């Protein structure tokens, strides 16, 4: 029996149950029927695959992760060919291994969007079994798991499912369920949702795991997932990310017209000494928010004349974040241990030669201040008064020295 037919049979039984259901479980039965209807649509409609040009256009915004983007590109090409000849492509399981903050989760989400698939994010640090497989109808807060819910609501039987930071998962029941889902010999028949009380085939989903520490990974992840190498972000890539974050933040506050005032030299100061890019993004956001508040007047309107004339010279109080391995002696200002995972700038292509010039002068567009004849005269008078004061102090010092009194 095809899966859609099995679901229709389930709905028939649920409707019969609804006729005799008491008030306590009527709502739960209706919820089950609605979920099954969504799953029926997911399994009855043909599986759509994006074209290669569509995929490549969407993945242009991913910086770094070249090997992973290429890996999915190859998968998509083969999947389109197999679909054309009436065959089913092999299921894919991927492992993105690297330090925190480099964009693994963001890249997984972008890949899902580029493939035209729904994205299901399971945070393994806080995940619990009910989130995956639901809660039985006997529970007061009975509901289906997150996987079944999104597949039903979005009518997608082939989502991209992310097990984020799977190396930090401590729940044995959750790990057992993830092991089942990452097993292409069992996930078609053995994954059951406890609320729906039926099997949900997961053999067409794409699974992506992310992790920071390979030593803490379960064996089933290492043996079943394709490990994707993630190269260290170069200086140029970090600057590109900073520029994208700047443009995004300026657009959010409708300040795009002032883009030319933010020089590359200022963005260099946003870069942080860490493998990831979170600190850099935080610094860019901090600059834009401070720039906005400096320019707000009493009517909450933005007046650029109130902002610093030269943004490079302003003290933005940026985070000078440097990443250390937790148990490395360097945290206590001692020599690094051998093969530690602390940040070393010389390992980042382009960092040393470019960051040496971070405080060099660089032309930047300055805000023009309104001037008039009265302001000019006032400024000239202030300069004259300061000069006279300096002359008087110098004369007094000279007089004291001549009389041998010192000062």
């Amino acid at each position: 029996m095809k899966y859609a037919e099995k679901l229709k049979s389930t709905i028939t039984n649920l409707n019969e149950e609804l006729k005799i259901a008491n008030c306590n479980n009527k709502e739960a039965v209706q919820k089950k029927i609605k979920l099954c209807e969504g799953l029926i649509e997911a399994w009855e409609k043909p599986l759509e695959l994006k074209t290669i040009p569509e995929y490549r256009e969407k993945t242009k915004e991913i910086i770094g992760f070249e090997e992973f983007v290429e890996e999915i590109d190859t998968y998509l090409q083969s999947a389109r060919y197999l679909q054309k000849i009436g065959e089913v492509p092999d299921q894919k399981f991927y492992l993105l291994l690297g330090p925190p903050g480099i964009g693994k989760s963001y890249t997984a989400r972008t890949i899902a969007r580029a493939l035209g698939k729904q994205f299901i994010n399971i945070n393994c640090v806080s995940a619990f079994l009910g989130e995956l497989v639901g809660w039985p109808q006997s529970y007061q807060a009975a509901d289906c798991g997150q996987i079944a819910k999104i597949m039903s609501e979005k009518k997608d039987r082939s989502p991209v499912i992310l097990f984020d930071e799977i190396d930090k998962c401590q729940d044995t029941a959750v790990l057992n369920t993830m092991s089942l889902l990452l097993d292409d010999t069992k996930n078609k028949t053995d994954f059951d949702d406890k609320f729906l009380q039926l099997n949900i085939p997961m053999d067409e989903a794409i699974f992506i795991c992310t992790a920071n520490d390979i030593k803490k990974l379960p064996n089933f992840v290492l043996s079943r997932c394709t490990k994707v190498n993630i190269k260290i972000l170069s200086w140029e890539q970090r600057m590109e990310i900073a520029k994208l974050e700047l443009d995004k933040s300026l657009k959010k506050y409708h300040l795009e017209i002032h883009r030319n005032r933010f020089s590359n030299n200022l963005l260099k100061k946003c870069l942080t000494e860490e493998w990831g890019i979170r600190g850099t993004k935080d610094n860019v956001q901090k600059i834009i928010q401070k720039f906005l508040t400096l320019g707000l007047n009493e009517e909450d309107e933005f007046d650029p004349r109130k902002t610093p004339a030269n943004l490079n010279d302003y003290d933005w109080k940026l985070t000078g974040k440097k990443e250390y391995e937790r148990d490395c002696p360097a945290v206590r200002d001692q020599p690094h241990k051998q093969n530690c995972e602390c940040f070393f700038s010389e390992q980042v292509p382009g960092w040393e030669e470019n960051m040496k010039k971070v405080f060099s002068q660089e032309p930047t567009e300055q805000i023009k201040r309104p001037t008039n004849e009265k302001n000019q005269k006032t400024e000239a008078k202030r300069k004259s008064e300061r000069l006279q004061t300096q002359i008087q102090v110098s004369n007094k010092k000279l007089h004291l020295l001549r009389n041998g009194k010192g000062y």
Side-chain angles (χ1 to χ4, degrees):
M1 182 188 296
K2 290 184 178 180
Y3 188 64
E5 295 301 319
K6 179 181 177 180
L7 289 169
K8 290 176 182 178
S9 176
T10 300
I11 289 179
T12 300
N13 295 334
L14 288 170
N15 280 321
E16 291 298 319
E17 183 181 345
L18 197 59
K19 294 176 182 178
I20 58 173
N22 57 45
C23 296
N24 292 330
N25 63 8
K26 183 176 181 180
E27 185 177 340
V29 174
Q30 290 174 331
K31 185 185 290 187
K32 287 182 181 181
I33 292 173
K34 186 175 181 180
L35 288 166
C36 286
E37 289 172 345
L39 292 173
I40 289 171
E41 287 192 52
W43 260 266
E44 283 189 335
K45 68 180 183 181
L47 195 63
E48 295 182 4
L49 295 172
K50 290 290 185 180
T51 65
I52 304 303
E54 286 175 328
Y55 168 79
R56 291 174 180 171
E57 181 63 31
K58 290 285 187 181
T59 52
K60 281 182 180 179
E61 63 186 77
I62 297 176
I63 298 174
F65 295 86
E66 294 89 353
E67 183 179 327
F68 186 43
V69 173
E70 181 64 29
E71 181 83 24
I72 301 295
D73 190 297
T74 302
Y75 157 76
L76 181 59
Q77 291 186 59
S78 63
R80 288 181 60 83
Y81 172 77
L82 289 170
Q83 187 181 64
K84 189 174 182 178
I85 63 175
E87 296 292 337
V88 179
D90 294 333
Q91 190 172 21
K92 293 295 181 180
F93 309 101
Y94 296 102
L95 169 62
L96 303 182
L97 185 65
I102 61 175
K104 299 187 292 293
S105 304
Y106 167 79
T107 298
R109 185 184 297 274
T110 305
I111 289 290
R113 188 166 62 247
L115 292 173
K117 298 178 179 294
Q118 292 303 313
F119 181 69
I120 302 175
N121 186 357
I122 306 296
N123 183 349
C124 298
V125 177
S126 58
F128 46 93
L129 187 60
E131 185 179 357
L132 296 173
V133 301
W135 296 264
Q137 187 174 311
S138 57
Y139 280 51
Q140 187 173 2
D143 202 351
C144 66
Q146 186 179 351
I147 293 175
K149 180 176 288 186
I150 293 179
M151 291 175 72
S152 173
E153 290 178 351
K154 303 302 181 181
K155 302 169 180 56
D156 186 355
R157 69 176 186 268
S158 178
V160 171
I161 300 178
L162 174 67
F163 291 149
D164 199 15
E165 297 188 315
I166 195 169
D167 55 328
K168 294 183 175 66
C169 184
Q170 300 294 323
D171 191 314
T172 302
V174 171
L175 285 171
N176 289 338
T177 302
M178 290 178 178
S179 175
L180 185 153
L181 288 167
L182 294 176
D183 187 342
D184 57 5
T185 66
K186 296 180 179 179
N187 63 17
K188 183 175 182 178
T189 57
D190 293 1
F191 178 67
D192 298 327
D193 186 274
K194 293 184 180 298
F195 177 72
L196 290 172
Q197 294 180 295
L198 55 83
N199 150 252
I200 300 178
M202 300 302 299
D203 56 317
E204 293 181 277
I206 295 175
F207 288 91
I208 302 174
C209 300
T210 70
N212 304 140
D213 190 349
I214 193 170
K215 299 173 186 175
K216 296 180 180 179
L217 280 172
N219 289 331
F220 68 83
V221 175
L222 293 171
S223 62
R224 300 171 194 169
C225 294
T226 301
K227 182 176 175 294
V228 180
N229 293 316
I230 303 174
K231 295 181 180 178
I232 295 172
L233 289 170
S234 67
W235 178 87
E236 186 177 348
Q237 289 173 325
R238 292 164 187 266
M239 282 293 290
E240 190 174 348
I241 291 172
K243 290 175 184 177
L244 289 172
E245 189 65 27
L246 175 65
D247 293 339
K248 176 183 173 182
S249 298
L250 287 171
K251 184 177 181 180
K252 177 180 178 179
Y253 294 108
H254 297 182
L255 298 173
E256 302 100 311
I257 193 173
H258 304 288
R259 174 63 178 85
N260 290 337
R261 296 187 61 198
F262 297 86
S263 67
N264 284 343
N265 205 47
L266 179 57
L267 287 178
K268 286 180 188 179
K269 296 176 183 179
C270 294
L271 300 186
T272 53
E273 294 185 88
E274 55 181 342
W275 298 121
I277 204 72
R278 287 176 187 162
T280 296
K281 289 183 174 182
D282 289 344
N283 279 339
V284 173
Q285 293 170 9
K286 183 182 291 186
I287 285 178
I288 299 305
Q289 290 169 0
K290 186 64 176 177
F291 176 73
L292 173 70
T293 55
L294 289 171
L296 289 178
N297 58 26
E298 294 179 357
E299 288 76 34
D300 289 334
E301 295 175 343
F302 184 75
D303 182 355
R305 295 172 298 180
K306 290 170 64 64
T307 60
N310 189 332
L311 301 185
N312 281 353
D313 296 336
Y314 186 78
D315 181 11
W316 299 100
K317 303 189 185 306
L318 301 177
T319 301
K321 194 173 183 181
K322 184 161 184 174
E323 184 173 346
Y324 293 96
E325 185 180 335
R326 184 173 298 176
D327 60 349
C328 181
V331 176
R332 301 181 295 277
D333 294 326
Q334 297 176 15
H336 289 270
K337 71 176 185 180
Q338 190 174 7
N339 299 323
C340 71
E341 297 179 1
C342 298
F343 178 87
F344 293 98
S345 59
E346 57 267 25
Q347 294 183 21
V348 177
W351 182 284
E352 294 293 311
E353 54 267 37
N354 285 288
M355 293 305 284
K356 286 178 182 177
K357 305 175 183 178
V358 69
F359 295 109
S360 63
Q361 293 299 317
E362 181 178 326
T364 182
E365 182 179 312
Q366 298 188 15
I367 192 72
K368 294 181 179 180
R369 305 292 182 186
T371 59
N372 54 45
E373 187 176 349
K374 182 179 179 180
N375 288 341
Q376 290 174 348
K377 288 181 178 179
T378 302
E379 185 61 29
K381 183 179 179 181
R382 287 175 181 167
K383 287 182 179 180
S384 177
E385 289 174 349
R386 285 197 296 268
L387 182 60
Q388 288 298 323
T389 301
Q390 292 172 0
I391 292 173
Q392 289 173 5
V393 171
S394 297
N395 287 337
K396 185 176 181 180
K397 290 179 180 178
L398 184 59
H399 174 72
L400 292 172
L401 284 171
R402 284 175 176 172
N403 290 304
K405 296 181 180 180
Y407 62 92

